[in-house]
Structures are given as C-alpha cells and as structure tokens.
Amino acid sequence: MIKSIQIKDFIVKRYPYSILLLFCFPLLKENLSSFAFLIFGLLTLVVKFGASNGEKTNKKILVFTIPFWIILLDAVLYGRLKESGSAINHALLFLLFPTVFYFAPSHLFSKEKLDRYFNLLTWVCVTLGISYLLLFVLNKPISSLIETKYNSSLFRDFVYSETKIFSIHPAYYTSIVIFCMAYQLKKNTINPKTINIIILIFLYVITFLLLTKLNIVVMNIILMVYILFHTSISRVKKTAFILLIVTSIILSLFFVPGLYIRFVEIFTSFGINPTGVAHDSTNIRVAIYTCDWEIIKNNLWQGVGFYDIQHQLLNCFESKYHSSFYENHKYLSHNYFLYILLGSGIVGFTGFLYFCYRIVNFALKMNSFVFYVFVLNTFLMCCIEDYFYRQNGIYFFMLIFLCYFKYFDSVKTKKIETS
C-alpha cells in the first residue's frame, strides 16, 4: 500500500514534464511523436483517476473532435470501414487530443506554463533549422548553398528529400516557425532582449531558404502588421522598419537561391497544363484543383467517400493530363476543405465549417495577436495542403489550440469562482 502511494506520488510530481515531450515533435519522427503523446495520455489518465482532485472539466472541448466523426460516419454510411482505415487513422488525433486534454489538469496551462512550452517549441525550431544547415554543409560543398536546380534550390531539395533524420515537410516546419516568430515578437515587446532579435532573424532567414511561398508572404505581412499596429514606436521608426522589410524582400529575390524562380513560376506556369516531365509545383496544383472541382461537381451532396478520393483523382489525372507527375505519387486534394467536401459532400462539409466557426469564435474571445496569427496561418495552410491529413499538421494545430483553450477555460473558471 505504501509502495503504491509512493509510485502515484512519483508519477504526479513528474507528470508535468511529460507535456514538454509533445513540443519536441518537429525534431521527432512521426512514430516517436506518437509515442510521446501516448506517454502524456497514459500519465494524464493515471493522474486524473488515480489522484483526482475533483476538478471540473469543460465538455465543450469535445466539439473539436468533429472532423474525426465526419470521417468515421462517412466510412460507416458507405459500408467501407476497412477501406477507410487510412483516412480514419489520419484523423484519429482529432479524437485523441481533445479527449486527453479534457482530462488534463488546468494547472498545466497557466500563462507561465504556456510561455515555457512556446519557448521550448521556438528553440526546437531553431535547433532544427541549425541542424538542416549543418547537415547540408556536411554533405554538400558550401558553395552549393546558393545554387539552384530546376525551379528550386539545392538546400530546399536537400531538406525535403535527403534529411532522413527528420521527417517534417518544409511547409509544415515553416508554419510552426511563423507561430514562433509571432510569439517572439510579442515576447520581445514585453521584455526586449537581444536573444529574441537573434532568434527572429534566424527564423526569418531559414523560412526564406526553405522557399515555402505562402509562408514567406504571410511572414512578411505579419511583421509589417505587427510593427504598424502592435508597437508604440514613432512613425519614423515604423516607416524605417517597413522599408527595411521591403528592402530585405527585394534583395532576397535576387540573392536567396531559387526564390525568384519559385515566385515567377506562379505566373509562367499557372495556365499551362503539366505535360510529360514538364511540370512544377504550380501547374501540378492547378491540375489537382481542377480535378478536385470536377469530382465535386459530380458528387456534391454525398461525396465519393474518403476511401475513394485518391482513386477518383488518379482517374481524372489519367483522362485529362498526359504527364508523369502522378505516376509515382498518390495525390490527395492539396486542400483540406476540398478533401472534406470530396469525401463527405455538403453534409460533412457543413460539419467541418461548424468546426472552423468554433475555432474562429474562440479566437475572437482570446483576442490574442499570436493566436490570431496561428489560426489564420492554419486556415491558409489548409487551402494549399492536406494540412490536417498529415500528422505534423494536425499534431501542431491541436497541441497549440488546446493549450490556449485549457488556459482560457481555467482563467474564466477562476474569475467565476472569485466573483
């Protein structure tokens, strides 16, 4: 009995450290980040039911499991549970994260704790960026850092295809970087430090080097909005900072390898169908979106079932494009909103829009610059990627969103108790 009490006491005291593992996910392979979540989830249940303090929990958090139920219900209605196994598995974190965080104690989500978590995530992103650069220099001549290949740079291609130690896609990594930059901006305003500026500059540079077009644009817009509307510096200084940002963008177009090519590609390839081996990220996306809408128009109300999306898209590619871009790649919608509409039709899509509405509604209640940036960038990423289909996308979103949700809920509860 005494030994059992000692074990429970040991777990309770060290349990708060387990959540830190979740914020290391950009450095981890997907199976390891799943294992980190499993550890946190099991310890949460042990602490909740083994040493319960009678804390009330907010059941509203379970509304954020909606995307999982859309995909599961679609599989049941189509009678394709087995065939939909992959889609259900990719949506499983929509069920697991809110469920585990529902039981997680509120003391894990104080403002001080959130600062600690977000600081750790920032340093993880910095470590990953430095690791990319070191690995590149160790494997390639340093001069190749400024070389391009086709419509990209050797550095981006190396990070995307050759860094086997890390598995996170550059677009997903830079979306996390944008959140960290917004957090560092706010943090530096409250408590200015040289290290915060150094981190901001490094994350700014690594985002340019990785050539994720949307995140480069979003990052610079965020910087300018923050300087104009969220700082109290003089107009002269604001103008100087904006001019500095604009100048850095112009110079980057000429000196960052592949950046100019990547942006010019949008205009030169937009109206040209992929043919043979002549294809790039722009006309492939246009081809995918064209087929997305073609399939949606023919299956607007009921969708095609999540189990059949890849097959339907492949049939469309084969009938419309004589190109090699789809031969060795199983494409999805490249837009998570369209993914839901393709799979479940209007009914499922309406449920997903309600999920998005609840997110926006919560963001308005939070009224936080950093959280606004996080939500906006998430929705934008969902417009160009199957963002919530990939583990890193859903893991990042649910982790940050639910941390804010638990923090806001605990603050609101304290206000009610003290009023």
Side-chain angles (χ1 to χ4, degrees):
M1 181 67 177
I2 295 174
K3 190 174 181 180
S4 176
I5 293 172
Q6 288 175 336
I7 292 172
K8 285 182 180 178
D9 187 55
F10 178 84
I11 291 174
V12 169
K13 285 182 178 178
R14 284 153 185 80
Y15 164 63
Y17 297 104
S18 64
I19 195 172
L20 296 175
L21 293 173
L22 304 184
F23 289 87
C24 297
F25 79 93
L27 286 171
L28 305 176
K29 297 280 189 180
E30 290 186 354
N31 58 342
L32 289 177
S33 45
S34 296
F35 183 66
F37 179 75
L38 178 64
I39 292 173
F40 176 69
L42 289 174
L43 291 179
T44 297
L45 295 178
V46 170
V47 170
K48 176 65 179 177
F49 297 107
S52 178
N53 58 4
E55 181 181 302
K56 291 182 179 180
T57 49
N58 188 349
K59 292 181 181 179
K60 289 181 180 179
I61 198 171
L62 298 178
V63 76
F64 302 109
T65 64
I66 283 176
F68 172 79
W69 299 114
I70 290 171
I71 293 169
L72 180 64
L73 184 60
D74 177 84
V76 171
L77 291 175
Y78 269 98
R80 298 279 188 164
L81 268 173
K82 184 178 179 181
E83 294 87 342
S84 302
S86 178
I88 294 169
N89 183 55
H90 280 88
L92 193 57
L93 288 179
F94 274 122
L95 174 66
L96 297 180
F97 257 100
T99 303
V100 169
F101 273 66
Y102 172 74
F103 293 114
S106 59
H107 68 78
L108 288 183
F109 305 99
S110 65
K111 187 178 185 307
E112 294 74 20
K113 293 285 180 63
L114 260 59
D115 284 336
R116 182 187 300 176
Y117 304 153
F118 299 160
N119 275 323
L120 173 59
L121 183 61
T122 300
W123 281 109
V124 165
C125 286
V126 170
T127 302
L128 185 54
I130 292 172
S131 299
Y132 283 147
L133 291 170
L134 288 176
L135 286 170
F136 184 83
V137 170
L138 289 172
N139 287 276
K140 308 278 185 184
I142 194 167
S143 59
S144 61
L145 189 62
I146 59 172
E147 292 180 13
T148 60
K149 182 181 179 182
Y150 302 116
N151 64 335
S152 187
S153 70
L154 292 182
F155 179 69
R156 176 186 165 84
D157 290 344
F158 176 80
V159 169
Y160 184 68
S161 306
E162 299 179 45
T163 50
K164 304 301 181 183
I165 300 174
F166 310 111
S167 60
I168 190 167
H169 189 286
Y172 291 71
Y173 167 63
T174 51
S175 70
I176 302 167
V177 163
I178 284 176
F179 169 76
C180 293
M181 288 184 69
Y183 172 71
Q184 288 297 315
L185 281 169
K186 195 69 178 177
K187 180 181 171 184
N188 193 67
T189 302
I190 298 169
N191 185 21
K193 288 184 179 179
T194 304
I195 187 63
N196 296 336
I197 302 300
I198 293 172
I199 289 172
L200 277 167
I201 292 171
F202 176 78
L203 294 178
Y204 186 78
V205 171
I206 200 72
T207 302
F208 267 103
L209 290 175
L210 288 171
L211 303 183
T212 303
K213 292 170 285 192
L214 173 65
N215 287 338
I216 288 172
V217 172
V218 171
M219 174 182 67
N220 284 288
I221 291 174
I222 288 168
L223 283 172
M224 288 189 278
V225 168
Y226 189 80
I227 289 168
L228 287 173
F229 303 108
H230 293 270
T231 60
S232 56
I233 59 177
S234 66
R235 288 185 180 179
V236 173
K237 288 183 178 179
K238 286 182 178 181
T239 303
F241 275 118
I242 297 299
L243 287 174
L244 180 62
I245 293 170
V246 172
T247 302
S248 69
I249 294 170
I250 294 170
L251 291 175
S252 297
L253 287 170
F254 293 98
F255 293 105
V256 174
L259 186 63
Y260 178 78
I261 298 170
R262 292 272 292 175
F263 276 96
V264 168
E265 169 200 297
I266 298 173
F267 303 99
T268 58
S269 298
F270 187 81
I272 301 174
N273 288 337
T275 307
V277 294
H279 49 75
D280 51 47
S281 63
T282 298
N283 58 22
I284 288 176
R285 265 194 171 80
V286 172
I288 293 170
Y289 295 153
T290 300
C291 281
D292 284 343
W293 283 111
E294 197 166 288
I295 297 167
I296 287 167
K297 281 189 293 185
N298 295 325
N299 303 273
L300 182 61
W301 294 103
Q302 78 282 3
V304 298
F306 292 98
Y307 72 95
D308 203 32
I309 291 175
Q310 286 185 335
H311 181 253
Q312 292 278 350
L313 283 171
L314 180 60
N315 287 342
C316 182
F317 297 151
E318 289 175 340
S319 66
K320 292 181 71 69
Y321 306 106
H322 300 289
S323 174
S324 62
F325 80 87
Y326 54 83
E327 289 179 357
N328 298 307
H329 199 109
K330 293 182 178 180
Y331 283 104
L332 279 172
S333 59
H334 260 62
N335 180 310
Y336 199 79
F337 294 99
L338 296 184
Y339 171 76
I340 295 294
L341 192 53
L342 276 167
S344 57
I346 287 293
V347 176
F349 186 66
T350 302
F352 187 69
L353 288 181
Y354 178 71
F355 167 80
C356 294
Y357 161 76
R358 292 300 296 264
I359 291 168
V360 172
N361 186 53
F362 177 73
L364 294 173
K365 291 178 182 177
M366 274 295 301
N367 194 26
S368 159
F369 170 79
V370 178
F371 192 69
Y372 282 142
V373 168
F374 166 70
V375 171
L376 175 63
N377 189 237
T378 296
F379 285 156
L380 289 174
M381 287 298 295
C382 283
C383 290
I384 65 162
E385 296 282 350
D386 299 294
Y387 193 64
F388 289 150
Y389 186 83
R390 292 198 186 213
Q391 179 172 309
N392 284 318
I394 185 174
Y395 200 103
F396 171 55
F397 174 76
M398 295 306 284
L399 178 61
I400 302 301
F401 179 81
L402 293 176
C403 279
Y404 272 108
F405 185 91
K406 292 288 286 190
Y407 162 71
F408 183 81
D409 189 54
S410 65
V411 170
K412 187 172 68 173
T413 301
K414 285 179 183 177
K415 285 182 179 178
I416 292 171
E417 289 174 352
T418 55
S419 62

